[in-house]
């Protein structure tokens, strides 16, 4: 059961790995990554629900374990490159939380607006 959803999630992340190896990501690319992490968490929930044969909600610890297995915790290589290590860790942690919450709830969690120069003007 675990192998099936791990394989599904791994195949989803291969495309992101190819695009993640470029120069520093824009705010838009970072937001896209966060949306993908939320979507992947929800997809994992659906796979788990289908393989278990019943509609139990996701378990936070199981979702966290799946995240660590798939993305190697805070050292994951699925995120786009950002300027500093502090920014990278913050982006990875945000992606982790979105993945886990989406995995638990079964729907992609909303991605909060990120600070920076990409804020709308009045």
């Amino acid at each position: 059961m675990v192998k099936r959803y791990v394989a599904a999630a791994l195949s989803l992340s291969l495309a992101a790995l190819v695009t993640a190896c470029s120069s520093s990501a824009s705010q838009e690319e970072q937001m896209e990554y966060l949306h993908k992490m939320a979507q992947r968490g929800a997809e994992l929930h659906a796979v788990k629900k289908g393989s278990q044969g019943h509609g139990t909600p996701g378990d936070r610890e199981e979702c966290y374990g799946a995240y660590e297995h798939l993305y190697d915790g805070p050292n994951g290589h699925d995120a786009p490159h950002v300027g500093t290590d502090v920014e990278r860790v913050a982006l990875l942690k945000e992606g982790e939380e979105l993945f886990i919450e989406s995995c638990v709830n079964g729907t992609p969690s909303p991605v909060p607006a990120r600070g920076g120069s990409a804020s709308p003007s009045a």
Side-chain angles (χ1 to χ4, degrees):
M1 158 178 43
V2 171
K3 290 180 182 177
R4 188 180 340 164
Y5 68 79
V6 168
L10 283 174
S11 65
L12 293 172
S13 65
L14 287 177
L17 283 173
V18 172
T19 59
C21 298
S22 60
S23 61
S24 191
S26 67
Q27 287 290 336
E28 184 177 301
E29 290 168 320
Q30 293 176 42
M31 293 293 288
E32 182 180 322
Y33 162 74
L34 295 173
H35 283 286
K36 285 180 184 177
M37 292 305 293
Q39 183 63 40
R40 290 176 186 154
E43 290 169 357
L44 180 60
H45 176 93
V47 170
K48 287 186 343 177
K49 183 177 175 183
S51 67
Q52 292 173 352
H54 50 79
T56 59
D59 176 78
R60 187 166 181 80
E61 288 181 27
E62 187 177 344
C63 290
Y64 176 74
Y67 174 84
E68 280 198 321
H69 182 75
L70 294 170
Y71 301 105
D72 195 24
N75 298 317
H77 302 287
D78 196 36
H81 175 62
V82 290
T84 67
D85 287 340
V86 171
E87 292 171 325
R88 180 168 173 78
V89 168
L91 182 64
L92 287 169
K93 281 297 194 185
E94 195 170 351
E96 174 185 324
E97 276 302 310
L98 287 166
F99 178 92
I100 293 168
E101 288 302 315
S102 300
C103 176
V104 169
N105 298 324
T107 57
S109 294
V111 176
R114 294 182 57 81
S117 59
S119 59
S121 58

